[in-house]
């Protein structure tokens, strides 16, 4: 059949660029190289169970969660403002919001470094006011800030797109039935925007839990995240096997979080929105 | 003496340049069944939206029990709406949709459940409580929308073509059911339709609208028998509308002939619209009438035949239970009281 034919290039692509690399990572994670060849082992996973590594995992999840929550708290109102009728030129607002995303990710994060540095813009301003300089850079807060700054658009855009698709007549119907502004939000707008919220959460949490650039630049290496750990194993230590094992663990964390999300989405499926 | 529950005083509505309503004056009495009737785009929905509070009039006042409520938000009005496009909540099931208004009023769970069940059986949807909105047919959704509004027992219920999606049989059933509920619950209905039969059979008062203006307000019988102008006559039931000249009182000329009529009070030689209902024209033998024509088409319409008959200047539409075959030359007889003379109106079109 024609249909199958058309999907072949895609299958090849999947095989070459997704399946094969994954298989390799899996292979590395459960093997080790000895003098007499390659041997099957779980030792890398056992090693990861050591407190020092588990703490890194925990910290990664914690910082990612905090960032996701902050993104949600900031992003939802922003999406509402964008989707609202307040702006005449809505397209331009959304455009302005997206433009920073075109700038290089590293560049944006470096920009924050110069702002937060001991002798950076903010501290210069503080000393100009006669205040003592603050330790801003290389803190957990700085890492969270970097994550929120970089990933906020991934929260705002899906929520915005769901909100702007909500049929205005539903809001009118709720008002007609006696709902004031708060009730309309609670009973109609928010439930209908849940799919957007869920995809926003996923889209922020995943890059936040895997990032290694933000934590290295803004955390100054003091706040090793799981992403840094993997990077180190591959680039510095050269222990590809352990690095692969950590990668597998991280994939598990992500799969788990997606699983939780999609389960939650299923429970809301009756919504008939999609 | 019944009181006016709603009074529209000189209401106009302008949507950035489109005049949707032009100086509407209308009062609605308590417990009245008022129907707004008119062709698409004449401002029916706009009128309802102003009463419901979703649109503010550009000028004029809206009075509710004598109090001006122009800018009272919808949720504070004792009015509920059945929306033209249903506007059911897709994330809630049938029960939750219908219970929406009651829950906001903080009524206890037991009576909510009871009220919802009662109203759902009234609209023939008993047993559909747990169904998702998306799984319902258009007609079922429409009935959920009716139930969702009606269950709140508002003082005024606004219905925007609430039976539009139903098939003929269900539609007729629901017409009777709605009329019954309106009388039993003592709710004032403001009903929008463009189906003239529906308007005539259900309403106490019919308001005929055209291009943002009210053409005529009256009981269904008044509107049918005494249409004020050619537009109303044409819109309410089918009509033959032909240009004529009023020669003097009780004598009119049209189709090249003179006819006796029952109208008077026009200026001499005044151009008028002459309206004759298709069922008021009798088909007779050719030599029995001065007005003659040839049958062009015959269509069976269930109870009667519809014939189009060409006379020298006009194509007549005739409804009759007896049929003349296509091509037959016939005479057309119009009695004086079947001839309705109407002043020509300057139309904006
Ligand atoms: N939000 C709006 N913005 C601009 N014009 C509008 C708006 N709503 C209605 N109109 C215009 O006002 C006029 C009246 O519209 P309205 O919806 O009241 O008609 P209607 O009688 O309900 O028609 P229908 O039978 O098709 O529902 C139309 O010309 C319409 O295009
Ligand atoms: Mg309408």
């Amino acid at each position: 059949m024609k249909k199958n034919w058309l999907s072949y290039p895609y299958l090849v692509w999947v095989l070459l660029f997704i399946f094969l690399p994954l298989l390799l990572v899996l292979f590395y994670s459960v093997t080790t190289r000895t003098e007499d060849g390659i041997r099957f082992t779980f030792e890398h996973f056992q090693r990861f169970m050591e407190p020092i590594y588990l703490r890194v995992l925990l910290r990664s999840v914690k910082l990612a969660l905090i960032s996701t929550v902050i993104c949600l708290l900031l992003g939802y109102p922003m999406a509402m403002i964008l989707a609202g009728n307040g702006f005449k030129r809505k397209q331009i607002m959304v455009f302005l919001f997206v433009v920073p995303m075109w700038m290089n990710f590293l560049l944006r994060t470096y920009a924050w470094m110069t702002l937060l540095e001991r002798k950076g813009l903010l501290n210069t301003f503080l000393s100009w006011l006669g205040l003592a300089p603050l330790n801003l850079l290389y803190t957990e807060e700085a890492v969270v800030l970097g994550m929120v700054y970089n990933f906020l658009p991934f929260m705002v855009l899906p929520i915005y797109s769901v909100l702007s698709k909500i049929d205005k007549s539903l809001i009118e119907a709720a008002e007609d039935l006696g709902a004031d502004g708060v009730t309309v939000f609670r009973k109609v707008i928010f439930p209908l925007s849940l799919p957007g919220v869920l995809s926003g959460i996923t889209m922020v949490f995943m890059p936040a839990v895997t990032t290694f650039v933000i934590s290295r630049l803004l955390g100054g290496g003091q706040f090793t995240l799981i992403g840094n750990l993997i990077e180190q194993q591959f680039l510095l230590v050269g222990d590809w096997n352990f690095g692969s094992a950590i990668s597998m663990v991280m994939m598990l964390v992500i799969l788990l979080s997606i699983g939780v999300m999609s389960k939650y989405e299923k429970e809301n499926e009756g919504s008939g929105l999609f | 003496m019944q009181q006016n529950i709603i009074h529209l005083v000189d209401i106009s509505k302008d949507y950035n340049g489109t005049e949707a309503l032009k100086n509407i004056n209308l009062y609605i009495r308590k417990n009245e069944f008022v129907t707004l009737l008119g062709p698409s785009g004449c401002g029916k929905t706009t009128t309802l939206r102003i009463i419901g509070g979703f649109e503010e009039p550009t000028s004029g006042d809206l009075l509710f029990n004598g109090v001006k409520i122009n800018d009272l938000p919808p949720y504070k009005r004792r009015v509920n709406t059945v929306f033209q496009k249903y506007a059911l909540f897709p994330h809630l099931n049938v029960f939750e949709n219908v219970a929406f208004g009651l829950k906001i009023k903080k009524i206890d769970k037991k009576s909510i459940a009871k009220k919802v069940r009662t109203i759902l059986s009234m609209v023939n949807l008993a047993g559909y409580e747990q169904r998702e909105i998306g799984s319902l047919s258009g007609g079922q959704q429409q009935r959920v929308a009716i139930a969702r509004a009606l269950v709140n027992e508002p003082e005024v219920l606004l219905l925007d073509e609430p039976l539009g999606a139903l098939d003929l049989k269900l539609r007729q059933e629901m017409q009777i059911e709605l009329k019954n509920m309106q009388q039993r619950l003592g709710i004032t209905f403001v009903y929008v339709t463009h189906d003239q039969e529906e308007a005539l059979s259900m309403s106490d008062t019919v308001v005929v609208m055209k291009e943002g203006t009210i053409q005529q307000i009256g009981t269904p019988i008044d509107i049918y028998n005494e249409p004020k102008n050619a537009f109303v006559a044409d819109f309410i039931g089918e009509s033959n509308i032909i240009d004529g000249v009023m020669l003097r009182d009780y004598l009119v000329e049209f189709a090249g002939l003179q006819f006796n009529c029952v109208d008077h009070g026009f200026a001499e030689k005044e151009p008028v619209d002459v309206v004759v209902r298709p069922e008021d024209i009798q088909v007779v033998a050719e030599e029995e009438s001065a007005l003659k024509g040839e049958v062009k088409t015959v269509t069976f319409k269930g109870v009667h035949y519809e014939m189009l008959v060409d006379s020298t200047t006009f194509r007549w539409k005739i409804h009759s239970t007896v049929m003349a075959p296509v091509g037959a030359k016939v005479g057309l007889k119009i009695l004086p009281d079947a001839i309705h003379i109407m002043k020509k109106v300057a139309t904006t079109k």
Side-chain angles (χ1 to χ4, degrees), chain B residues 1-7 27-34 64-65 78 153-157 182-183 185-190 204-205:
Chain B
M1 187 62 206
Q2 285 170 314
Q3 78 187 107
N4 296 338
I5 188 162
I6 286 178
H7 196 158
Y27 52 82
I28 295 164
R29 285 181 288 265
K30 209 162 172 34
N31 299 349
E32 197 176 5
F33 193 127
V34 176
F64 192 85
N65 285 328
R78 307 251 319 114
E153 296 171 24
E155 279 188 52
V156 178
L157 188 65
Q182 185 254 341
Q183 285 169 340
L185 301 173
I187 299 176
T188 309
F189 270 36
V190 185
D204 300 319
T205 304

Side-chain angles (χ1 to χ4, degrees), chain B residues 19-270:
Chain B
E19 272 187 295
L21 295 177
K22 300 166 199 162
N23 298 75
I24 297 284
N25 282 288
L26 173 66
Y27 52 82
I28 295 164
R29 285 181 288 265
K30 209 162 172 34
N31 299 349
E32 197 176 5
F33 193 127
V34 176
T35 299
L36 308 181
L37 177 67
S40 188
C42 70
K44 306 180 298 285
T45 299
T46 305
T47 309
L48 276 202
R49 287 176 62 80
I50 285 175
I51 300 175
F54 304 109
E55 223 64 80
E56 252 188 79
T58 313
S59 66
D61 286 335
L62 172 66
L63 309 181
F64 192 85
N65 285 328
V67 184
K68 181 177 160 181
I69 57 161
N70 280 25
D71 39 23
L72 194 72
Y75 68 90
K76 288 190 181 159
R77 300 190 182 195
R78 307 251 319 114
V79 171
N80 283 118
T81 309
V82 180
F83 290 87
Q84 189 165 9
K85 292 185 187 109
Y86 328 142
L88 297 173
F89 303 119
H91 60 299
L92 303 177
N93 64 23
V94 170
F95 179 93
E96 292 162 332
N97 261 280
V98 178
F100 194 92
L102 300 174
K103 276 186 187 156
I104 286 171
K105 292 199 194 95
K106 302 253 180 335
I107 295 173
D108 68 284
K109 278 215 170 103
K110 259 200 192 136
S111 20
I112 289 182
K114 198 169 148 229
K115 278 177 191 237
V116 172
R117 217 175 313 120
T118 314
I119 204 83
L120 279 180
S121 62
M122 272 193 204
V123 296
N124 275 326
L125 284 178
Y128 281 71
E129 282 85 349
Q130 303 308 320
R131 287 281 289 273
E132 297 301 334
I133 296 303
S135 74
L136 300 178
S137 73
Q140 290 166 337
Q141 293 189 13
Q142 211 156 39
R143 283 177 284 153
V144 175
I146 293 171
R148 183 180 68 173
L150 208 52
V151 78
N152 300 289
E153 296 171 24
E155 279 188 52
V156 178
L157 188 65
L158 310 175
L159 303 100
D160 200 346
E161 309 202 12
L163 307 182
L166 306 185
D167 61 62
L168 186 66
K169 189 161 172 293
L170 193 55
R171 193 185 175 102
Q172 286 166 344
E173 273 174 38
M174 286 296 298
Q175 284 175 357
I176 294 166
E177 192 58 54
L178 275 179
K179 182 79 188 162
N180 281 342
M181 284 193 266
Q182 185 254 341
Q183 285 169 340
R184 197 168 26 174
L185 301 173
I187 299 176
T188 309
F189 270 36
V190 185
Y191 193 97
V192 163
T193 180
H194 55 235
D195 177 344
Q196 43 101 7
E197 242 171 76
E198 191 169 289
L200 295 179
S201 64
M202 296 174 82
S203 328
D204 300 319
T205 304
V206 177
V207 178
V208 184
M209 296 177 69
K210 177 199 180 191
E211 293 168 13
T213 58
I214 292 179
Q215 299 290 310
Q216 186 170 3
I217 304 178
T219 63
I221 291 173
D222 280 352
I223 298 256
Y224 191 83
N225 288 339
E226 313 288 339
K228 244 190 192 163
N229 57 41
F231 172 81
V232 177
D234 189 34
F235 200 75
I236 306 288
E238 291 170 286
S239 287
N240 296 285
I241 301 174
I242 178 169
D243 290 328
V245 176
M246 205 60 191
L247 296 175
R248 54 167 199 267
D249 283 355
Y250 311 114
L251 189 66
V252 61
E253 181 184 307
F254 59 88
L257 298 164
Q258 293 184 2
F259 292 82
N260 290 318
C261 65
V262 295
D263 296 84
H264 55 92
F266 291 84
E268 211 158 287
K269 297 268 166 67
E270 181 177 337

Side-chain angles (χ1 to χ4, degrees), chain A residues 170 172 175-177 179 187 271, chain B residues 49 75 80-81 88 90-91:
Chain A
L170 295 180
E172 287 182 353
E175 286 177 331
D176 185 77
L177 294 165
K187 294 197 135 190
S271 69
Chain B
R49 287 176 62 80
Y75 68 90
N80 283 118
T81 309
L88 297 173
H91 60 299

Side-chain angles (χ1 to χ4, degrees), chain B residues 307-349:
Chain B
M307 287 171 274
L308 296 179
V309 177
D310 279 1
S311 66
T312 43
T313 56
F314 193 73
R315 170 168 285 190
W316 298 91
K317 185 183 277 181
I318 298 166
H319 291 172
S320 171
T321 47
V322 287
M323 183 200 82
V326 173
K329 302 258 196 281
V330 294
L332 301 179
K333 202 164 182 181
I334 306 172
L335 296 176
D337 64 357
I339 297 173
H340 304 280
I341 309 291
M342 292 172 194
K343 274 196 184 305
K344 288 239 180 230
V345 276
T347 50
T348 44
K349 254 183 188 161

Side-chain angles (χ1 to χ4, degrees), chain A residues 223-240:
Chain A
F223 298 98
T224 310
L225 299 186
I226 194 159
N228 302 95
L229 212 57
I230 297 171
E231 187 203 11
Q232 279 166 19
Q233 294 307 315
F234 277 97
L235 299 182
L236 294 176
V237 184
D239 188 346
W240 285 31

Side-chain angles (χ1 to χ4, degrees), chain A residues 40-267:
Chain A
F40 178 81
T41 174
F42 275 127
E43 68 189 44
H44 311 301
F45 288 98
Q46 272 162 5
R47 186 166 157 216
F48 188 79
M49 291 300 132
E50 285 169 22
I52 174 171
Y53 297 119
L54 282 182
R55 222 173 289 136
V56 173
L57 176 67
L58 215 66
R59 182 188 297 133
S60 296
V61 172
K62 184 185 86 179
L63 290 190
L65 275 179
I66 292 174
S67 307
T68 309
V69 169
I70 294 176
C71 278
L72 182 60
L73 292 180
L74 287 177
Y76 202 101
M78 283 169 92
M80 278 189 81
I81 292 169
L82 282 179
N85 290 323
F87 291 113
K88 279 245 152 55
R89 306 185 181 280
K90 198 183 286 185
Q91 300 301 327
I92 295 184
M93 286 307 297
V94 177
F95 177 74
L96 284 179
F97 195 79
V98 176
V99 161
M101 287 169 76
W102 296 350
M103 207 164 53
N104 185 284
F105 170 77
L106 272 175
L107 215 64
R108 275 180 292 158
T109 311
Y110 271 118
W112 272 108
M113 285 180 76
T114 61
L115 282 174
L116 299 177
E117 265 169 355
R118 190 96 190 142
K119 290 193 177 126
L121 231 58
L122 269 172
N123 274 326
T124 316
F125 182 68
L126 283 180
S127 66
W128 183 73
L129 288 177
L131 297 170
L134 294 174
N135 262 333
L136 298 170
L137 199 56
Y138 308 140
T139 57
E140 237 178 43
E141 287 77 16
V143 177
V144 171
L145 178 85
M147 290 181 176
V148 170
Y149 172 74
N150 277 307
F151 304 137
L152 186 60
F154 299 120
M155 184 63 85
V156 175
L157 289 178
I159 298 178
Y160 161 77
S161 107
V162 171
L163 281 180
S164 55
K165 270 189 231 128
I166 291 180
D167 189 351
K168 294 278 174 297
S169 68
L170 295 180
I171 295 166
E172 287 182 353
E175 286 177 331
D176 185 77
L177 294 165
D180 56 18
V182 177
T183 316
V184 171
F185 179 78
R186 219 165 36 83
K187 294 197 135 190
V188 180
I189 298 176
F190 187 70
L192 285 178
S193 70
L194 268 184
V197 171
L198 291 182
S199 76
I201 289 177
T202 322
M203 282 170 71
V204 170
F205 182 77
M206 282 206 286
V209 84
T210 54
T211 184
F212 55 92
V213 176
I214 294 175
S215 49
R216 196 173 63 210
L217 295 182
L218 300 178
Q222 297 174 49
F223 298 98
T224 310
L225 299 186
I226 194 159
N228 302 95
L229 212 57
I230 297 171
E231 187 203 11
Q232 279 166 19
Q233 294 307 315
F234 277 97
L235 299 182
L236 294 176
V237 184
D239 188 346
W240 285 31
N241 302 101
F242 187 43
S244 298
I246 307 172
S247 297
M248 293 309 293
V249 171
M250 192 162 80
M251 272 173 51
L252 208 72
V253 170
I254 289 175
L255 279 179
L256 226 65
S257 68
I258 291 177
V260 169
M261 281 297 165
S262 66
K263 180 162 180 283
Y264 194 76
E265 222 166 346
K266 276 225 186 69
E267 277 163 15

